[in-house]
Each structure stands twice: as C-alpha cells, then as structure tokens.
Amino acid sequence: MKLRYLKYSIYVLCALVMIACTKDKGNYDYKDINSVEINGIEDHYLIEFGSTPNINPTLEFSKDPNFKEENYSFEWISFNHGEVQLSTARKLLHTGKNFDIPLALSLGKYTLYYRVKEKSTGILWTRKFEIEVTGSIKGGWAVLSEVDNNSQLDYFEYDLETNSHPKEYRDFASYFIDSETGAQLTLEGKPKFIEGWANTTAATGTNRYLLYVGTDKKTEKINVTAGFQWSERFNFSFETLNNMELPRLDRIYPIATSQGYGMYNGVLHKRVNIANINFGNPANLLNGELVELAPFIAVNRMQITGNVALVYDKKNQRFLRCTANNTALTGSLSMAGAAFNPNAVGMDLVWMGSTNINNGSAYAVLTKDGKFHLARTTNNITTFEARYLDDISSLPGIAQAKHFEIDQIYGYLQYAVGGKLYQYDVDTKETKLMKDFGNREITMLKHNKGNYVTYTTAINPAQVDKAGRRFLPVIKALIVATYDPTNPKTSGQVDFFEAPQFNMEYTTYYSFSGLGKVQDVACVEFPTGY
C-alpha cells in the first residue's frame, strides 16, 4: 500500500514539473530600472567637533539625467558601533541632498550612510563611508530653554580674536554620547537650572570644571575639563550620599571649587570637599529639627572659606544662616544696628538673592497684607547686619513682578513685570523703566555669578585684551531672556545688557536668538580661550 502511494506521489510531482516548464507565451514590456552613480563622497573624513562637513555628492541617474531633487528623498545616517541597542546606535543626522549643517556627533568614530530614495518607485541607493570626530570646544554660554514641555540645551562658543560667539551648537545635548555604553544624553522634563562649577566627584575626578544641567526629572553634568565629555556615570544620582532622598537638585549655588549649596524640594544640602561634606544629608536643621525653607539661598562668594548661606524659614518667617563647615542652621541672628528684627520678620519671602557689594550682601523682597518691602543685609562670615527695610509697595507693577535680580556693581534692584524691565536705585529711591519688550514676555533675569575669573582680574590693566575682553561682560551684564508666547519654540532671545551708573540707558553687549522659552543661562568659564 505504501509503495502505491509513493508511485502516485511521483506521478503528481512529475506533472507539476512539466507544467512549470511549459513556455510562457505571455506578452510583457520589460523596462530597465533607474540606477545612480554617487560621487563626491570620500571613504573617510576627519571632522572637527561641531563643524559642518560640507559634503556635496554628485548624482548621475541612468534614467533621469536632469533629475529634480523634489523627486527624491535623502538621508544621512550615522551608526555607533559601541551601542548595543540598534534604536540608539542609529541616528538620523540630516535629510538634505548635501551635508551642509553642523555635525551633531560627539567625539569618536562612526560609520555613515548616505541614502537616496526615488519617491515614485521606492528604489533606494546607499553610499557607506567613515567619519572621525575630533577637536575641542572653547568656553562660552550655555542656554537652557523649554521646548514642547522638555528641555533644550544650546551652546554659543566664544572667540577671543573676534570678541564674539561665531560657533553655535543647537540642541547641544544631541552631540553627547557615552563612549562606554553608546547611550545618548537626553534632557527629559522641563528645565530647572544650568550652572558651571569646578567640583570633585568620583566619576569625573578631582577639581573638574563641570556644567550641571537640571530638569524636573534629573540632574546631569558635562565634564568640561575633559573636553566636554558626558557619561551615564556622571548623573547626579551617583554623586549624592542618598539618591533615594536626593535624586536631583532644583538649583546649585557654587561658592568656590568643591564648595557650595544645593536646594531640593525646600531642603538645603551642602558640599565642602575638604571637610568631607557631601550632598545628600539635609543641612536645614535647627536644634535637631528640620526647617521648611523658601526656595532661595543667598550665598557669599567673596569669602570662600566662610561658606556663608542665608536662608528663610517659611513657617516662622525669619532669616537663618549656615556657615563654615557646619551642617546645621544658626538662628538668633545679630540685632546689632538692626533696622528690623531678622529673627521675627513676620512677612512672606517673595525672592532673595546675593551681591558682592560690601564684602557680601543679601537682598530679600518680602510681602504682607498687600504691602511689599525690600530687606538689605550684610551677610559675610564675620558680620550679619539687618541694615535696611524699605517699603517698595509703590514701585510700578511690583505686585505682579515674577523675576528679580541685584546689580553686582551698583546694587540696583532689577525686576520684570510681563515684558517690562524696571530698575530701582536703593540709594536715590528712583525707579526707572529700562526696557519695554512689548508683547514679548520676560522669562528670566540673571547676573552670572561664576567663580573662575574674578572682577579684580577682569579690570586688571594687564588683562585688558584677555580676561577683561572676555569676562567683563560676563561679570557685569544683566542677562534678560524674553520670548513670544505665540511662538514658544523658536522666538526665545537672550540679551546681555550693561547697566551704567546713575540709572543711565542700558547698552547691549551681545544677544542670542532662535531659542525656546529660556529658563536659565550659564557662562562656561573654562577653557578661558587665552
């Protein structure tokens, strides 16, 4: 029986083969498909970090000699061999025929693919080549803004010879890839702060100049000293003693190298490397009890050994201090020469900041029952004095003010109401509208309070063409960020103004535009560029 079935199976198979071999007498119109010869791309390129490759391929199509670019699509794709996950190893860099934009890749070696696709047929052609990204970045300005509810980092590199910022690195985070894991730096969440600070951490090494970038999701840092490197190991959660209690920071307040304060959810944290004091243990303790603090710290950068920070107790409405290598707060502040009682202010804190005037001072805007006051204190390691308390309720728009700053040279109080920028002279009691940005909204006021180059160094006659040329604007400028609420993605602008003495009109040092809704800026002081 099995043999009979086998015979029948062989007969059927032979019949099928004969049918398949029958000559096809159909009438078909065969056409040659389009093909292309891609020239103008070398096998290997050495590209400086952040520069534009300017690769301009020539395309010769067999069936389309006078081709139109709109009939084709183009892709430049990089592949990082060190990345395990294909989704992150592959990166689309550009969609133009020519590579005529800055290369958004960090230092390293990459395989690139230039792909040309005919839209009508879907036929795809590819040219493979290699790129090695080398070089370094100079100091400049980092700008952190909000775009589509996430954070965007842009960078503007300073050039001493032209005294300008000719190189712009847009979406700067996209340039950074972990050389060990291949992971891409991402900045999820809304922006909180950005700060340059020389600090010592286990991951980055001793006294490295770091660029801290904080969002409401995490705090990252870029190792500037090592040539603008980023690693997953640099995440702030590995820097703190207790990453469950302190996974990130809301802001950093540097005082000196490896010395400073941080704030997270109203909790004060302190860093003093030589005393082995690290972020992670709350420093807002008074008599063994945690104190709920307002989200502002006024630090003294003039006396770096003092580690002086002035804070405000929200519940008891009083000023407190943390000094030296103490990891707790000091109450019962001095009443000597006091214009008000700092231990029982009886008002809510609206804002507080610091200035280097009088060897370190602090300003605080306070409110109660619809009235507003400006408190001014001496705040250094040897002296705390509650010197002035002025009623500023009559200042134009003060009740609606959202942003404040203190001029670091003349001590003006500067504040923003919508698109208007006001300046209050604390000595003459004169208030002046300095800038009206119309329909644009002011999103940030800031004086950069770096600690790498001092004002004394910048005004030294021997440094006029070096430190003075670069850093006087950095130290003196009032930095004002504005944007158009109807175009939040690209309308952001940052202006750097000089505020002359006697309330004279502002002059502009320089400006950056094409940004999102700017939250913060920071000068990357190192490398100095001279």
Side-chain angles (χ1 to χ4, degrees), residues 425-451:
D425 190 320
V426 298
D427 296 319
T428 66
K429 313 305 180 189
E430 176 187 2
T431 306
K432 185 176 181 180
L433 176 62
M434 304 306 296
K435 290 287 181 181
D436 187 344
F437 294 94
N439 293 329
R440 297 178 67 83
E441 180 183 334
I442 297 173
T443 61
M444 183 210 69
L445 295 181
K446 184 173 184 178
H447 280 283
N448 188 78
K449 300 179 180 70
N451 51 57

Side-chain angles (χ1 to χ4, degrees), residues 155-215:
Y155 190 76
F156 301 85
E157 183 183 73
Y158 178 77
D159 178 70
L160 182 68
E161 183 177 351
T162 61
N163 195 28
S164 64
H165 301 80
K167 283 189 178 181
E168 300 181 0
Y169 300 87
R170 301 290 182 164
D171 190 15
F172 196 40
S174 67
Y175 287 78
F176 294 97
I177 296 175
D178 189 327
S179 60
E180 296 176 354
T181 68
Q184 172 77 54
L185 171 59
T186 58
L187 299 174
E188 301 96 344
K190 292 187 177 183
K192 297 288 286 186
F193 76 93
I194 187 166
E195 191 71 60
W197 184 26
N199 191 18
T200 296
T201 73
T204 58
T206 304
N207 295 342
R208 303 296 184 180
Y209 192 91
L210 309 172
L211 181 63
Y212 284 80
V213 185
T215 76

Side-chain angles (χ1 to χ4, degrees), residues 206-227:
T206 304
N207 295 342
R208 303 296 184 180
Y209 192 91
L210 309 172
L211 181 63
Y212 284 80
V213 185
T215 76
D216 61 5
K217 301 287 187 183
K218 61 180 179 178
T219 300
E220 296 280 1
K221 57 181 176 283
I222 296 168
N223 190 336
V224 176
T225 302

Side-chain angles (χ1 to χ4, degrees), residues 310-328:
L310 186 68
V311 295
Y312 197 76
D313 181 345
K314 290 177 65 175
K315 180 180 178 181
N316 297 292
Q317 297 180 320
R318 59 181 173 174
F319 289 101
L320 301 167
R321 298 214 306 170
C322 189
T323 60
N325 294 334
N326 299 316
T327 54

Side-chain angles (χ1 to χ4, degrees), residues 483-528:
Y483 88 121
D484 180 355
T486 65
N487 179 24
K489 292 184 180 181
T490 60
S491 66
Q493 179 163 316
V494 179
D495 296 299
F496 296 76
F497 295 119
E498 179 184 13
Q501 198 172 7
F502 309 120
N503 288 320
M504 295 178 66
E505 298 297 322
Y506 287 176
T507 57
T508 304
Y509 286 118
Y510 38 75
S511 302
F512 305 133
S513 59
L515 304 161
K517 183 179 179 181
V518 176
Q519 173 69 23
D520 201 5
V521 304
C523 179
V524 179
E525 300 162 286
F526 181 85
T528 58

